[in-house]
Amino acid sequence: MDLYNAKLTDVHKTEGKVSFAVAMLPHTPYWEEEEPHVLYDWYFLRTGESIEKAKNNIGDFLTKGGFSRQRFNGNYLLGDILFKDKEILVKPIPETINGFNFWIAEGLIGDYFDKHNKEIPKIRTLRTATKKLFKDGCNVNNMEESSHSILNLITDVEKRSVINIAPLYLKQYPWQLAQNKRGKGKLSIFNSGKIGESYMTVFRNPDTKNLYHILNKFLYSKQERDVFSKNSLKLPKLNTITKAESINFEGSCEVSERFFFDGSLNDIFEILKDSRKIKFEKGILD
C-alpha cells in the first residue's frame, strides 16, 4: 500500500450521529528499510452505523492493502461524531483516549472536508485533556510529545513560538492568519518576541475569545518611565498576565517553533501559576 495515496479518512455520512474509530499504523524499523520516505505513524479514521462497523471498516481497509491485522496495534480511539449546523462535535469514549489520538480525529475530519472542497465547520471535542505539550501540532501525521517547558516558551525573549490550544482545529497556521489579515489572528498563545518597545506573549481563549497578554521584558528608559509617572499612566508590569482589549500584529510574524497543548487555557494558567514566576491580574483566575 502506498500510504501517501491511501485514504486516511472515510466518512460514510455527514449528518446526525455517526460512530467512528481511529487506528494507528506505527512507524517501524521495517519501514526504514523498505519505505524510508515514511517517517511518521499513520492514522486512519472510518465511520459506520456502529462502533464495531467502524472498526471493521479500518481492518478491511488495511488488510486489503496488504497489512495483517496484527500489523496495527488494535488500540482504537472510539466514539461518536455529531454533525450539527456549522459545527461538528466529537465525543470520544474516555477509556479509549490514548495520548494524542483525540486530536488526530479532529484533524482527519477537517482534512476530509478540505479534500472534498467543502467549508470546514467548527470542530470541537468533548474530552478530558492529558495536559501535555506536543511538537508540530498542526501536522496530523507527526505527533511527538515535547520536552519543552511551557513556562520557558511563553517567557523566552529571543524565540517566537506558537502554542495551539484545544479545542481548536485550524486549516491555516495562526501566524499566517495574523500576518495575512494584519489584525487579530485566531491564535491561542503567541510569543511574538519584540512588539514596539517590549517583548510580549499574547493569549486567546478559544472557548470565550477573551484576550490576554504578558510583558516578558521591556526597554523603557528612565525618561520614558518618568513620562508614565508624570501622566499618571500605569506602567506595564513584568511577568504579569493581564486582560487585553485587542491585539494587532504588524509586519512579518515568523515563528521558530510551534506546538499543540491538549488542555485548555485555564490549564496553561494553572501551570504558570504553579511556577511562582508568573503573576495574574486580579479576576483572571476567578
Side-chain angles (χ1 to χ4, degrees), residues 209-254:
K209 308 300 185 291
N210 289 341
L211 296 170
Y212 308 89
H213 55 195
I214 183 172
L215 187 66
N216 298 321
K217 175 184 177 182
F218 57 74
L219 305 177
Y220 296 111
S221 66
K222 183 179 184 304
Q223 183 178 5
E224 288 170 321
R225 294 190 197 191
D226 289 341
V227 170
F228 272 88
S229 177
K230 181 179 179 180
N231 292 282
S232 300
L233 297 174
K234 188 177 179 181
L235 188 69
K237 294 181 180 179
L238 279 173
N239 300 328
T240 301
I241 294 177
T242 59
K243 293 181 180 179
E245 293 299 323
S246 64
I247 298 169
N248 295 307
F249 299 102
E250 297 293 335
S252 176
C253 295
E254 295 181 4

Tab-separated table of all heavy atoms in Angstrom, residues 209-254:
chain	number	residue	atom	x	y	z
A	209	LYS	N	-13.022	33.512	23.611
A	209	LYS	CA	-12.435	34.540	22.734
A	209	LYS	C	-11.779	35.673	23.524
A	209	LYS	O	-11.349	36.663	22.944
A	209	LYS	CB	-13.471	35.115	21.754
A	209	LYS	CG	-14.240	34.070	20.957
A	209	LYS	CD	-13.322	33.215	20.119
A	209	LYS	CE	-14.107	32.250	19.242
A	209	LYS	NZ	-14.791	31.183	19.964
A	210	ASN	N	-11.676	35.552	24.857
A	210	ASN	CA	-11.019	36.578	25.656
A	210	ASN	C	-9.537	36.654	25.325
A	210	ASN	O	-8.895	35.634	25.039
A	210	ASN	CB	-11.184	36.282	27.153
A	210	ASN	CG	-12.606	36.497	27.620
A	210	ASN	OD1	-13.390	37.175	26.963
A	210	ASN	ND2	-12.958	35.916	28.759
A	211	LEU	N	-8.992	37.864	25.378
A	211	LEU	CA	-7.586	38.104	25.065
A	211	LEU	C	-6.814	38.495	26.323
A	211	LEU	O	-7.327	39.208	27.187
A	211	LEU	CB	-7.456	39.222	24.029
A	211	LEU	CG	-8.040	38.957	22.638
A	211	LEU	CD1	-8.054	40.235	21.830
A	211	LEU	CD2	-7.250	37.874	21.913
A	212	TYR	N	-5.561	38.045	26.382
A	212	TYR	CA	-4.676	38.373	27.495
A	212	TYR	C	-3.273	38.589	26.926
A	212	TYR	O	-2.958	38.145	25.821
A	212	TYR	CB	-4.626	37.233	28.525
A	212	TYR	CG	-5.974	36.767	28.995
A	212	TYR	CD1	-6.656	35.764	28.321
A	212	TYR	CD2	-6.584	37.334	30.116
A	212	TYR	CE1	-7.906	35.333	28.743
A	212	TYR	CE2	-7.826	36.901	30.553
A	212	TYR	CZ	-8.485	35.907	29.864
A	212	TYR	OH	-9.712	35.472	30.277
A	213	HIS	N	-2.425	39.274	27.699
A	213	HIS	CA	-1.028	39.374	27.295
A	213	HIS	C	-0.133	39.454	28.534
A	213	HIS	O	-0.586	39.729	29.648
A	213	HIS	CB	-0.785	40.555	26.353
A	213	HIS	CG	-1.235	41.877	26.862
A	213	HIS	ND1	-1.379	42.969	26.074
A	213	HIS	CD2	-1.604	42.291	28.109
A	213	HIS	CE1	-1.798	43.996	26.783
A	213	HIS	NE2	-1.925	43.608	28.026
A	214	ILE	N	1.153	39.198	28.276
A	214	ILE	CA	2.146	39.261	29.351
A	214	ILE	C	3.394	39.944	28.815
A	214	ILE	O	3.804	39.713	27.672
A	214	ILE	CB	2.480	37.845	29.896
A	214	ILE	CG1	3.455	37.933	31.072
A	214	ILE	CG2	3.033	36.945	28.807
A	214	ILE	CD1	3.676	36.606	31.766
A	215	LEU	N	3.950	40.811	29.609
A	215	LEU	CA	5.180	41.520	29.251
A	215	LEU	C	6.357	40.715	29.784
A	215	LEU	O	6.496	40.523	30.989
A	215	LEU	CB	5.158	42.922	29.865
A	215	LEU	CG	6.269	43.881	29.467
A	215	LEU	CD1	6.164	44.226	27.987
A	215	LEU	CD2	6.182	45.152	30.303
A	216	ASN	N	7.202	40.211	28.864
A	216	ASN	CA	8.356	39.402	29.260
A	216	ASN	C	9.599	40.252	29.535
A	216	ASN	O	10.464	39.862	30.320
A	216	ASN	CB	8.684	38.386	28.167
A	216	ASN	CG	7.544	37.417	27.941
A	216	ASN	OD1	6.894	36.985	28.889
A	216	ASN	ND2	7.284	37.091	26.687
A	217	LYS	N	9.674	41.393	28.861
A	217	LYS	CA	10.845	42.269	29.013
A	217	LYS	C	10.475	43.605	28.379
A	217	LYS	O	9.766	43.635	27.385
A	217	LYS	CB	12.045	41.657	28.277
A	217	LYS	CG	13.298	42.523	28.246
A	217	LYS	CD	14.378	41.833	27.406
A	217	LYS	CE	15.614	42.692	27.284
A	217	LYS	NZ	16.646	42.051	26.426
A	218	PHE	N	10.883	44.712	28.996
A	218	PHE	CA	10.623	45.992	28.341
A	218	PHE	C	11.901	46.813	28.265
A	218	PHE	O	12.860	46.599	29.003
A	218	PHE	CB	9.485	46.770	29.008
A	218	PHE	CG	9.678	47.060	30.471
A	218	PHE	CD1	10.570	48.022	30.887
A	218	PHE	CD2	8.928	46.381	31.427
A	218	PHE	CE1	10.715	48.309	32.229
A	218	PHE	CE2	9.070	46.661	32.772
A	218	PHE	CZ	9.970	47.622	33.174
A	219	LEU	N	11.875	47.751	27.313
A	219	LEU	CA	13.070	48.539	27.014
A	219	LEU	C	12.890	50.013	27.358
A	219	LEU	O	13.580	50.866	26.846
A	219	LEU	CB	13.407	48.407	25.520
A	219	LEU	CG	13.570	46.973	25.001
A	219	LEU	CD1	13.819	46.984	23.500
A	219	LEU	CD2	14.729	46.284	25.709
A	220	TYR	N	11.916	50.301	28.229
A	220	TYR	CA	11.674	51.702	28.575
A	220	TYR	C	12.865	52.305	29.305
A	220	TYR	O	13.386	51.729	30.255
A	220	TYR	CB	10.434	51.836	29.453
A	220	TYR	CG	9.148	51.423	28.781
A	220	TYR	CD1	8.474	50.280	29.186
A	220	TYR	CD2	8.609	52.185	27.749
A	220	TYR	CE1	7.290	49.900	28.574
A	220	TYR	CE2	7.427	51.810	27.128
A	220	TYR	CZ	6.774	50.672	27.540
A	220	TYR	OH	5.604	50.294	26.933
A	221	SER	N	13.265	53.501	28.872
A	221	SER	CA	14.329	54.219	29.559
A	221	SER	C	13.762	54.873	30.812
A	221	SER	O	12.540	54.939	30.999
A	221	SER	CB	14.910	55.294	28.637
A	221	SER	OG	13.923	56.287	28.386
A	222	LYS	N	14.646	55.382	31.670
A	222	LYS	CA	14.191	56.076	32.875
A	222	LYS	C	13.343	57.286	32.495
A	222	LYS	O	12.336	57.581	33.144
A	222	LYS	CB	15.385	56.509	33.715
A	222	LYS	CG	14.980	57.171	35.041
A	222	LYS	CD	16.196	57.561	35.853
A	222	LYS	CE	15.769	58.127	37.209
A	222	LYS	NZ	14.828	59.273	37.093
A	223	GLN	N	13.740	57.977	31.429
A	223	GLN	CA	12.981	59.144	30.990
A	223	GLN	C	11.566	58.736	30.580
A	223	GLN	O	10.586	59.428	30.910
A	223	GLN	CB	13.689	59.811	29.809
A	223	GLN	CG	12.996	61.085	29.321
A	223	GLN	CD	13.760	61.731	28.181
A	223	GLN	OE1	14.743	61.193	27.692
A	223	GLN	NE2	13.296	62.889	27.745
A	224	GLU	N	11.432	57.625	29.851
A	224	GLU	CA	10.112	57.155	29.420
A	224	GLU	C	9.269	56.727	30.622
A	224	GLU	O	8.065	56.981	30.674
A	224	GLU	CB	10.266	55.990	28.438
A	224	GLU	CG	10.790	56.426	27.073
A	224	GLU	CD	11.173	55.249	26.209
A	224	GLU	OE1	11.737	54.266	26.747
A	224	GLU	OE2	10.916	55.298	24.996
A	225	ARG	N	9.908	56.114	31.601
A	225	ARG	CA	9.171	55.720	32.799
A	225	ARG	C	8.670	56.959	33.555
A	225	ARG	O	7.574	56.956	34.116
A	225	ARG	CB	10.069	54.883	33.718
A	225	ARG	CG	10.468	53.553	33.127
A	225	ARG	CD	11.145	52.704	34.174
A	225	ARG	NE	11.886	51.621	33.566
A	225	ARG	CZ	12.408	50.610	34.236
A	225	ARG	NH1	12.278	50.580	35.548
A	225	ARG	NH2	13.067	49.652	33.627
A	226	ASP	N	9.504	58.012	33.576
A	226	ASP	CA	9.092	59.250	34.245
A	226	ASP	C	7.868	59.855	33.568
A	226	ASP	O	7.003	60.443	34.234
A	226	ASP	CB	10.242	60.267	34.242
A	226	ASP	CG	11.372	59.859	35.171
A	226	ASP	OD1	11.124	59.010	36.062
A	226	ASP	OD2	12.498	60.367	35.005
A	227	VAL	N	7.786	59.707	32.229
A	227	VAL	CA	6.622	60.210	31.488
A	227	VAL	C	5.363	59.460	31.940
A	227	VAL	O	4.304	60.052	32.136
A	227	VAL	CB	6.831	60.066	29.971
A	227	VAL	CG1	5.533	60.369	29.215
A	227	VAL	CG2	7.945	60.984	29.506
A	228	PHE	N	5.480	58.140	32.082
A	228	PHE	CA	4.351	57.349	32.588
A	228	PHE	C	3.895	57.889	33.936
A	228	PHE	O	2.707	58.117	34.180
A	228	PHE	CB	4.758	55.875	32.733
A	228	PHE	CG	4.548	55.059	31.491
A	228	PHE	CD1	5.532	54.981	30.521
A	228	PHE	CD2	3.363	54.366	31.305
A	228	PHE	CE1	5.349	54.219	29.388
A	228	PHE	CE2	3.169	53.597	30.170
A	228	PHE	CZ	4.165	53.526	29.204
A	229	SER	N	4.887	58.103	34.800
A	229	SER	CA	4.567	58.543	36.153
A	229	SER	C	3.957	59.944	36.160
A	229	SER	O	2.961	60.202	36.852
A	229	SER	CB	5.836	58.521	37.005
A	229	SER	OG	5.582	58.996	38.295
A	230	LYS	N	4.512	60.841	35.360
A	230	LYS	CA	4.053	62.220	35.316
A	230	LYS	C	2.611	62.310	34.823
A	230	LYS	O	1.835	63.149	35.280
A	230	LYS	CB	4.978	63.037	34.402
A	230	LYS	CG	4.604	64.508	34.304
A	230	LYS	CD	5.586	65.249	33.392
A	230	LYS	CE	5.211	66.712	33.271
A	230	LYS	NZ	6.161	67.438	32.383
A	231	ASN	N	2.242	61.436	33.888
A	231	ASN	CA	0.900	61.471	33.312
A	231	ASN	C	-0.050	60.478	33.978
A	231	ASN	O	-1.126	60.181	33.443
A	231	ASN	CB	0.972	61.172	31.811
A	231	ASN	CG	1.667	62.283	31.038
A	231	ASN	OD1	1.088	63.328	30.756
A	231	ASN	ND2	2.932	62.059	30.705
A	232	SER	N	0.367	59.987	35.131
A	232	SER	CA	-0.446	59.051	35.921
A	232	SER	C	-0.853	57.823	35.115
A	232	SER	O	-1.956	57.290	35.247
A	232	SER	CB	-1.710	59.758	36.445
A	232	SER	OG	-1.357	60.852	37.254
A	233	LEU	N	0.044	57.414	34.233
A	233	LEU	CA	-0.208	56.205	33.444
A	233	LEU	C	0.345	54.983	34.168
A	233	LEU	O	1.349	55.072	34.874
A	233	LEU	CB	0.451	56.326	32.059
A	233	LEU	CG	-0.077	57.456	31.168
A	233	LEU	CD1	0.745	57.550	29.893
A	233	LEU	CD2	-1.544	57.219	30.829
A	234	LYS	N	-0.315	53.873	33.970
A	234	LYS	CA	0.098	52.628	34.619
A	234	LYS	C	1.208	51.972	33.811
A	234	LYS	O	1.010	51.581	32.669
A	234	LYS	CB	-1.103	51.682	34.749
A	234	LYS	CG	-0.828	50.447	35.567
A	234	LYS	CD	-2.103	49.618	35.689
A	234	LYS	CE	-1.844	48.345	36.482
A	234	LYS	NZ	-3.082	47.517	36.577
A	235	LEU	N	2.379	51.891	34.380
A	235	LEU	CA	3.491	51.239	33.701
A	235	LEU	C	3.243	49.739	33.667
A	235	LEU	O	2.911	49.133	34.689
A	235	LEU	CB	4.807	51.527	34.440
A	235	LEU	CG	6.089	51.074	33.737
A	235	LEU	CD1	6.330	51.927	32.502
A	235	LEU	CD2	7.278	51.184	34.683
A	236	PRO	N	3.360	49.120	32.501
A	236	PRO	CA	3.134	47.673	32.426
A	236	PRO	C	4.033	46.907	33.397
A	236	PRO	O	5.184	47.276	33.618
A	236	PRO	CB	3.494	47.341	30.973
A	236	PRO	CG	3.322	48.619	30.235
A	236	PRO	CD	3.703	49.693	31.197
A	237	LYS	N	3.469	45.859	33.988
A	237	LYS	CA	4.228	45.054	34.938
A	237	LYS	C	4.856	43.856	34.228
A	237	LYS	O	4.220	43.223	33.395
A	237	LYS	CB	3.315	44.556	36.058
A	237	LYS	CG	2.768	45.654	36.953
A	237	LYS	CD	1.900	45.057	38.045
A	237	LYS	CE	1.340	46.142	38.954
A	237	LYS	NZ	0.456	45.562	40.009
A	238	LEU	N	6.087	43.584	34.587
A	238	LEU	CA	6.754	42.409	34.031
A	238	LEU	C	6.148	41.131	34.599
A	238	LEU	O	5.734	41.074	35.751
A	238	LEU	CB	8.247	42.444	34.356
A	238	LEU	CG	9.133	43.318	33.480
A	238	LEU	CD1	10.538	43.362	34.048
A	238	LEU	CD2	9.156	42.811	32.048
A	239	ASN	N	6.107	40.088	33.728
A	239	ASN	CA	5.724	38.740	34.153
A	239	ASN	C	4.347	38.693	34.818
A	239	ASN	O	4.112	37.886	35.718
A	239	ASN	CB	6.776	38.153	35.103
A	239	ASN	CG	8.140	38.048	34.451
A	239	ASN	OD1	8.239	37.826	33.245
A	239	ASN	ND2	9.191	38.224	35.231
A	240	THR	N	3.427	39.560	34.378
A	240	THR	CA	2.065	39.568	34.908
A	240	THR	C	1.074	39.451	33.757
A	240	THR	O	1.105	40.266	32.823
A	240	THR	CB	1.787	40.858	35.700
A	240	THR	OG1	2.724	40.958	36.785
A	240	THR	CG2	0.377	40.851	36.256
A	241	ILE	N	0.218	38.454	33.804
A	241	ILE	CA	-0.779	38.259	32.764
A	241	ILE	C	-1.951	39.192	33.028
A	241	ILE	O	-2.531	39.194	34.116
A	241	ILE	CB	-1.249	36.802	32.717
A	241	ILE	CG1	-0.074	35.897	32.282
A	241	ILE	CG2	-2.425	36.624	31.754
A	241	ILE	CD1	-0.394	34.431	32.257
A	242	THR	N	-2.272	40.016	32.025
A	242	THR	CA	-3.351	40.992	32.157
A	242	THR	C	-4.315	40.840	30.987
A	242	THR	O	-3.969	40.290	29.939
A	242	THR	CB	-2.800	42.427	32.178
A	242	THR	OG1	-2.077	42.659	30.956
A	242	THR	CG2	-1.864	42.628	33.352
A	243	LYS	N	-5.525	41.350	31.156
A	243	LYS	CA	-6.520	41.308	30.091
A	243	LYS	C	-6.150	42.301	29.003
A	243	LYS	O	-5.523	43.329	29.255
A	243	LYS	CB	-7.899	41.629	30.652
A	243	LYS	CG	-8.437	40.567	31.604
A	243	LYS	CD	-9.815	40.939	32.115
A	243	LYS	CE	-10.341	39.874	33.075
A	243	LYS	NZ	-11.682	40.227	33.609
A	244	ALA	N	-6.563	41.981	27.765
A	244	ALA	CA	-6.302	42.868	26.635
A	244	ALA	C	-7.593	43.067	25.850
A	244	ALA	O	-8.386	42.145	25.696
A	244	ALA	CB	-5.229	42.276	25.737
A	245	GLU	N	-7.795	44.289	25.345
A	245	GLU	CA	-8.989	44.584	24.551
A	245	GLU	C	-8.828	44.099	23.117
A	245	GLU	O	-9.738	43.561	22.506
A	245	GLU	CB	-9.270	46.090	24.574
A	245	GLU	CG	-9.678	46.627	25.943
A	245	GLU	CD	-10.955	45.981	26.444
A	245	GLU	OE1	-11.864	45.723	25.623
A	245	GLU	OE2	-11.042	45.725	27.660
A	246	SER	N	-7.649	44.304	22.565
A	246	SER	CA	-7.355	43.864	21.199
A	246	SER	C	-5.853	43.718	21.057
A	246	SER	O	-5.083	44.318	21.815
A	246	SER	CB	-7.889	44.851	20.165
A	246	SER	OG	-7.218	46.094	20.295
A	247	ILE	N	-5.458	42.921	20.083
A	247	ILE	CA	-4.034	42.698	19.837
A	247	ILE	C	-3.816	42.760	18.336
A	247	ILE	O	-4.470	42.046	17.579
A	247	ILE	CB	-3.561	41.339	20.385
A	247	ILE	CG1	-3.746	41.300	21.903
A	247	ILE	CG2	-2.107	41.077	20.031
A	247	ILE	CD1	-3.553	39.938	22.518
A	248	ASN	N	-2.925	43.630	17.901
A	248	ASN	CA	-2.647	43.791	16.475
A	248	ASN	C	-1.193	43.451	16.184
A	248	ASN	O	-0.299	43.763	16.963
A	248	ASN	CB	-2.931	45.225	16.032
A	248	ASN	CG	-4.392	45.578	16.160
A	248	ASN	OD1	-5.247	44.864	15.641
A	248	ASN	ND2	-4.684	46.672	16.845
A	249	PHE	N	-0.990	42.796	15.028
A	249	PHE	CA	0.357	42.439	14.607
A	249	PHE	C	0.659	43.167	13.301
A	249	PHE	O	-0.145	43.144	12.372
A	249	PHE	CB	0.470	40.933	14.395
A	249	PHE	CG	0.186	40.137	15.632
A	249	PHE	CD1	-1.031	39.516	15.802
A	249	PHE	CD2	1.133	40.016	16.635
A	249	PHE	CE1	-1.313	38.786	16.943
A	249	PHE	CE2	0.870	39.297	17.774
A	249	PHE	CZ	-0.354	38.683	17.931
A	250	GLU	N	1.810	43.774	13.252
A	250	GLU	CA	2.234	44.462	12.048
A	250	GLU	C	3.499	43.799	11.509
A	250	GLU	O	4.387	43.421	12.257
A	250	GLU	CB	2.523	45.945	12.328
A	250	GLU	CG	1.312	46.735	12.788
A	250	GLU	CD	0.269	46.872	11.696
A	250	GLU	OE1	0.648	46.803	10.512
A	250	GLU	OE2	-0.915	47.036	12.016
A	251	GLY	N	3.551	43.639	10.184
A	251	GLY	CA	4.740	43.060	9.588
A	251	GLY	C	4.771	41.547	9.698
A	251	GLY	O	3.799	40.896	10.040
A	252	SER	N	5.916	40.992	9.391
A	252	SER	CA	6.082	39.539	9.346
A	252	SER	C	6.093	38.949	10.746
A	252	SER	O	6.648	39.520	11.674
A	252	SER	CB	7.394	39.190	8.634
A	252	SER	OG	7.608	37.809	8.671
A	253	CYS	N	5.445	37.800	10.877
A	253	CYS	CA	5.393	37.102	12.164
A	253	CYS	C	6.011	35.720	12.006
A	253	CYS	O	5.305	34.708	12.041
A	253	CYS	CB	3.950	36.991	12.664
A	253	CYS	SG	3.187	38.570	13.047
A	254	GLU	N	7.292	35.664	11.757
A	254	GLU	CA	7.948	34.373	11.577
A	254	GLU	C	8.057	33.662	12.925
A	254	GLU	O	8.397	34.264	13.934
A	254	GLU	CB	9.337	34.564	10.973
A	254	GLU	CG	9.306	35.145	9.560
A	254	GLU	CD	10.704	35.301	8.985
A	254	GLU	OE1	11.657	34.883	9.659
A	254	GLU	OE2	10.817	35.848	7.878
